[in-house]
Every structure is written in structure tokens, then in C-alpha cells.
Amino acid sequence: MYGASGSIGTAGVQLARYFGADVTAVCNTKNIELVRSLGADTLVDYTQEDFTKNGQTYDAIFDAVGKHSFERCKGSLKSGGSYLATDGFRNLILALWTSRVRDKKVIFKLPPRYTKQDILFLKELIEAGKYRAVIDRCYALEDVVEAARYVETEQKTGNVVLTIDAGQPTENGKGNQ
């Protein structure tokens, strides 16, 4: 899991562990203990080591932050392995091409679809204490520009949340519910 300490990565680590995967998580030094607490089995500090050059091979590589390409990662995939992408038009094209002609594949689901069953499953995990959202910072809705600037630094851990003040009057004079 590359980008294991971001919003998608923290969710991915927990879900992969829930389903029994052996998770190698790639993140920076400051987030090693957090990602370990989420269930990662092996940790790689990308400031110290490039996981694509350490000789390890994986059944799947999930690039949760869109920083590595399939080309860069394919040597680290086992035969029959999959590179899961979260962004990039190029990955959509590679997903179509590699599914037909290669034993190592790019998986890129477009558009992403979530069902009511998926949401209820996550709700059950949360209620059972088997999944937790990682929150870095909270911003008031009126500070959305500042929140976006922070996210763009690419140094956040987990999620950034926008809050709505339930007591603040709206146009109709009632608080937001």
C-alpha cells in the first residue's frame, strides 16, 4: 500500500487486514507508528527506501496517492499480480490494455461505485471497532480554502474534515441540522 497514511491509504490498510491480507505499508517516518496501529505487517519508510528497488515482490500494489506508475511498479509485482490505481487517465488505458495482453494487470475502476451494502458493511466495521477514520485536522466550512491549501501540501495524515456549525443561523433563521 503506497501512501498508507493518507485518507485512502488508512482505509485501505484497515480493509486489507480485515480481509486477511499481509500488508506492506509505505509511508513517511512520522506516520510509521500510526500505520502500524492500523494493522500493517511490514512498514517501508519512503524517505529511507524505495519499495520498488528492495527486491520484494507483491501480489498487489495499491497506489493510494497516484505517485507511482505501473511501469515503475511492475517489476515488484509477482506473476499474475495487480497494480491498483486511484487516479490518472493513463491508468484507465493501461487497465484496458493489460487485462488482455499481460500477466501483470492494472486495475482502475471507473466510475467508482459504492452500494448501500458497501456502506452498511463499513458501518458494521466501525461499530465493531474494526475500522476507524483517521482525522488529521478539522476546519470550519468557511475555511474551506485554507483546508484545501493544507491538503495540497501533500503532508496530511488521514482525512481533513469540514465542519458545519449546527447552531449558526441560515437564511431561514434556523440552525443547520
Side-chain angles (χ1 to χ4, degrees):
M1 176 90 46
Y2 188 82
S5 60
S7 55
I8 295 172
T10 56
V13 168
Q14 294 176 84
L15 291 172
R17 285 300 298 150
Y18 176 82
F19 287 108
D22 180 28
V23 178
T24 297
V26 181
C27 63
N28 65 18
T29 309
K30 76 174 184 139
N31 293 317
I32 294 277
E33 289 310 313
L34 165 70
V35 175
R36 186 184 323 275
S37 77
L38 297 176
D41 300 289
T42 305
L43 289 124
V44 176
D45 180 345
Y46 70 77
T47 67
Q48 306 292 320
E49 176 183 0
D50 181 345
F51 84 95
T52 66
K53 296 179 180 173
N54 67 9
Q56 299 293 315
T57 56
Y58 307 94
D59 295 311
I61 295 174
F62 180 22
D63 183 359
V65 291
K67 296 278 187 180
H68 281 25
S69 66
F70 173 66
E71 282 300 313
R72 183 172 176 183
C73 294
K74 71 181 177 182
S76 297
L77 284 170
K78 292 179 180 176
S79 181
S82 299
Y83 171 80
L84 292 88
T86 56
D87 68 350
F89 182 70
R90 184 170 189 268
N91 288 315
L92 175 60
I93 294 167
L94 283 170
L96 297 171
W97 181 69
T98 61
S99 68
R100 294 189 166 98
V101 298
R102 310 267 318 247
D103 81 325
K104 297 178 183 179
K105 299 181 179 359
V106 174
I107 298 174
F108 187 79
K109 191 171 180 179
L110 188 69
R113 295 180 191 208
Y114 305 101
T115 65
K116 181 178 180 180
Q117 183 179 358
D118 295 333
I119 302 304
L120 291 174
F121 171 70
L122 287 174
K123 178 181 176 280
E124 289 172 15
L125 290 181
I126 292 166
E127 289 172 347
K130 295 181 179 180
Y131 179 90
R132 67 180 170 103
V134 176
I135 308 297
D136 185 330
R137 296 183 183 180
C138 296
Y139 291 87
L141 183 59
E142 58 268 15
D143 296 327
V144 67
V145 172
E146 184 181 339
R149 284 186 183 129
Y150 178 64
V151 169
E152 289 171 357
T153 68
E154 299 181 358
Q155 296 303 308
K156 73 175 182 59
T157 301
N159 299 277
V160 170
V161 175
L162 293 175
T163 60
I164 300 172
D165 183 1
Q168 189 161 348
T170 61
E171 287 180 26
N172 65 8
K174 297 179 182 176
N176 296 323
Q177 304 286 324

